[in-house]
Amino acid sequence: MEKNWTTIETLRQTRHDWLNKIQIIKGNLELNRIDRVKGIIDEIIVETQNEARLSSLNLPKFTEMLLTSNWKNGSFYCEYEIIDVFEGSAEMDKLMYRWTNDFFKILDKNLDPFFENILAVSMSKKEVSDMHCSFHMQGRFIDQSAVSEFLESSLTAEQSIEILECNEDEIFFKMDINF
């Protein structure tokens, strides 16, 4: 998962992503699906707003990992929503980067790569220096117990998890970060 992106690689991947979006819009225009084109543009606006919010959290390593996660993870697609903009810290960045990187590795190993697996992450401010996250993984697990074991054993003193749903095609949990 650890990759240092050069400027050229980053621009190449970003250009590729935008070209895909433009081709989807063009294809829907050619099919005269104007409502779908408007929907796609609205999705792009929301995605771009979330990227801007994520980039302003003062969590540089964690932000970079989320922004580039779909360029490297073969077994799942990651989407995210920033509900509240808050001021992160170097300690929070280090913790969230390390933990999420490990979580992504466990998911990548234990999800069926031939199935549409989607991880939705949302983040909000809990208190002045705290963060609340929810992680909702929907897909097909090869070994769901390995993911559950990771959740139970990977926490630091600053983290707490509440598992709300855990079955063969879904894991939904909330995590609080307290500094």
Side-chain angles (χ1 to χ4, degrees):
M1 298 227 55
E2 189 77 30
K3 176 166 173 53
N4 292 321
W5 293 88
T6 66
T7 302
I8 296 296
E9 291 170 322
T10 302
L11 290 171
R12 180 182 301 126
Q13 187 63 47
T14 302
R15 184 176 49 251
H16 174 79
D17 288 349
W18 275 105
L19 183 58
N20 285 344
K21 291 172 186 178
I22 291 168
Q23 288 174 332
I24 291 170
I25 290 170
K26 183 179 180 203
N28 279 283
L29 282 172
E30 289 174 358
L31 295 171
N32 203 28
R33 295 180 178 165
I34 303 303
D35 287 340
R36 182 63 190 126
V37 170
K38 289 178 184 177
I40 293 166
I41 291 170
D42 289 341
E43 290 168 11
I44 291 170
I45 290 168
V46 168
E47 181 182 329
T48 304
Q49 289 170 335
N50 273 308
E51 287 176 1
R53 286 188 203 112
L54 178 63
S55 297
S56 68
L57 295 181
N58 192 29
L59 303 170
K61 287 187 67 105
F62 178 68
T63 295
E64 180 183 341
M65 181 178 47
L66 283 183
L67 288 173
T68 62
S69 64
N70 295 321
W71 300 350
K72 350 178 210 194
N73 296 319
S75 64
F76 67 94
Y77 178 81
C78 181
E79 53 191 39
Y80 50 86
E81 177 182 24
I82 311 306
I83 297 167
D84 300 316
V85 175
F86 55 91
E87 183 68 25
S89 66
E91 297 83 17
M92 186 182 291
D93 186 39
K94 183 178 178 181
L95 179 130
M96 285 304 296
Y97 173 79
R98 181 203 53 80
W99 187 89
T100 307
N101 190 46
D102 291 346
F103 181 55
F104 282 8
K105 287 177 184 176
I106 291 291
L107 287 178
D108 217 28
K109 289 179 189 173
N110 292 288
L111 286 167
D112 181 347
F114 301 107
F115 193 79
E116 184 179 14
N117 304 301
I118 299 174
L119 173 65
V121 180
S122 70
M123 291 172 274
S124 60
K125 179 170 59 172
K126 184 177 171 218
E127 292 179 19
V128 175
S129 63
D130 300 336
M131 179 169 69
H132 177 77
C133 302
S134 69
F135 294 82
H136 191 184
M137 181 72 239
Q138 292 182 304
R140 181 173 295 151
F141 290 97
I142 295 167
D143 183 5
Q144 183 269 337
S145 65
V147 179
S148 296
E149 288 171 18
F150 169 80
L151 294 178
E152 293 170 8
S153 66
S154 65
L155 301 180
T156 65
E158 294 85 8
Q159 296 168 283
S160 63
I161 285 182
E162 177 186 5
I163 298 175
L164 302 170
E165 187 67 45
C166 186
N167 59 52
E168 61 275 355
D169 9 84
E170 177 180 31
I171 291 181
F172 177 48
F173 62 94
K174 294 183 178 184
M175 175 191 294
D176 288 331
I177 312 295
N178 302 303
F179 277 100

